[in-house]
Amino acid sequence: NISDERRREELNSKVRPWEQALTQSVTKVDALFGRYMAEMGCTGEVRLVKGEQTEERPHGNFKDWGIEIRVSFRENHQLQVLSARVQSGGERSVSTIMYLMALQDMLVAPFRCVDEINQGLDERNERLVFKRIVTNSTREPGNKGPMDHSGQYFLITPKLLPNLYDMEVEAMTVLFIFNGPYNVKDPRDLDIAKLLGLRKRAITSTDAADD
């Protein structure tokens, strides 16, 4: 059928450049994801899955296309598709975070906001994840134009590990939000001088007791 053949040719002419651009993007994300996972002592890759391809459908069915994340958290173990049936909750969290960081490196945004991204991680992985977030979000703007920057990064969390030395960067600001029955109801009632005086007296008393 000439009409079907024309439609097929028209579809192929549109799919080729789109598929090429998509493949290039996935290749870049795969390289970043693999590097980030390697820094954590793991292995990972991102692949473009196209489903079953036939002579009539050389590109397969587009509904079967997707991104496949494959990871390994143990030395000399084969990569496996990221799945709740295979990896633990902590392993899935690490993989998802590293994948998101790789994606964000491909996109420019004025700011990003994540909530409790460090929940469910053990101490070692939480420190490594935090280091990656700080590294990606505090890099200096590049020289490729106004879009060559990392943007602002808001990390909201109910807790942080002690001695997070990666927080010691000039580009970072830490804000503590206090809540509870003993909080000042009105900001105008907050007497900074009185609080400092109480703190100084407490320090003096501690020093005297040590002597």
Side-chain angles (χ1 to χ4, degrees):
N1 189 308
I2 297 177
S3 180
D4 289 343
E5 186 66 27
R6 285 179 178 175
R7 282 198 293 267
R8 190 175 295 110
E9 291 178 358
E10 182 180 0
L11 175 62
N12 289 335
S13 67
K14 292 180 179 179
V15 167
R16 289 190 191 100
W18 172 78
E19 183 179 359
Q20 183 179 8
L22 179 60
T23 301
Q24 290 176 351
S25 296
V26 173
T27 300
K28 292 179 181 178
V29 172
D30 172 52
L32 288 170
F33 179 70
R35 176 159 64 88
Y36 294 166
M37 290 292 285
E39 290 175 357
M40 304 189 72
C42 311
T43 310
E45 69 176 18
V46 178
R47 302 196 307 179
L48 177 63
V49 179
K50 302 178 182 180
E52 184 180 357
Q53 298 174 333
T54 64
E55 185 177 347
E56 294 183 354
R57 288 184 172 181
H59 303 289
N61 194 326
F62 288 115
K63 74 178 181 63
D64 297 326
W65 283 45
I67 294 295
E68 185 176 82
I69 302 174
R70 294 162 58 85
V71 296
S72 173
F73 287 85
R74 293 161 187 82
E75 191 175 357
N76 299 324
H77 277 60
Q78 290 185 340
L79 294 170
Q80 294 180 297
V81 177
L82 187 64
S83 167
R85 296 189 299 271
V86 179
Q87 290 85 16
S88 66
E91 291 171 344
R92 295 199 308 275
S93 295
V94 168
S95 304
T96 302
I97 294 168
M98 293 300 105
Y99 176 64
L100 289 175
M101 297 304 296
L103 279 180
Q104 289 174 0
D105 268 9
M106 301 282 295
L107 304 170
V108 177
F111 68 90
R112 297 183 173 97
C113 183
V114 293
D115 184 18
E116 298 189 18
I117 197 172
N118 56 333
Q119 300 304 297
L121 299 177
D122 58 38
E123 181 175 337
R124 174 185 175 275
N125 285 332
E126 183 172 347
R127 291 185 186 279
L128 291 171
V129 165
F130 191 81
K131 181 178 180 179
R132 170 49 52 193
I133 292 175
V134 172
T135 301
N136 283 27
S137 59
T138 59
R139 67 177 176 84
E140 294 290 332
N143 55 7
K144 299 179 182 179
M147 303 297 285
D148 188 10
H149 64 85
S150 60
Q152 287 183 295
Y153 206 102
F154 295 90
L155 172 64
I156 303 172
T157 177
K159 70 175 183 66
L160 284 173
L161 292 171
N163 303 319
L164 278 173
Y165 300 111
D166 292 298
M167 293 178 64
E168 298 176 3
V169 293
E170 188 175 351
M172 179 178 294
T173 300
V174 181
L175 301 176
F176 292 94
I177 300 176
F178 296 98
N179 189 22
Y182 301 104
N183 277 356
V184 176
K185 303 301 181 183
D186 190 324
R188 292 171 295 183
D189 296 334
L190 187 61
D191 190 337
I192 299 297
K194 181 179 179 180
L195 290 175
L196 290 175
L198 291 172
R199 180 58 180 166
K200 288 179 180 178
R201 286 195 292 272
I203 294 173
T204 302
S205 300
T206 302
D207 292 341
D210 291 339
D211 294 339

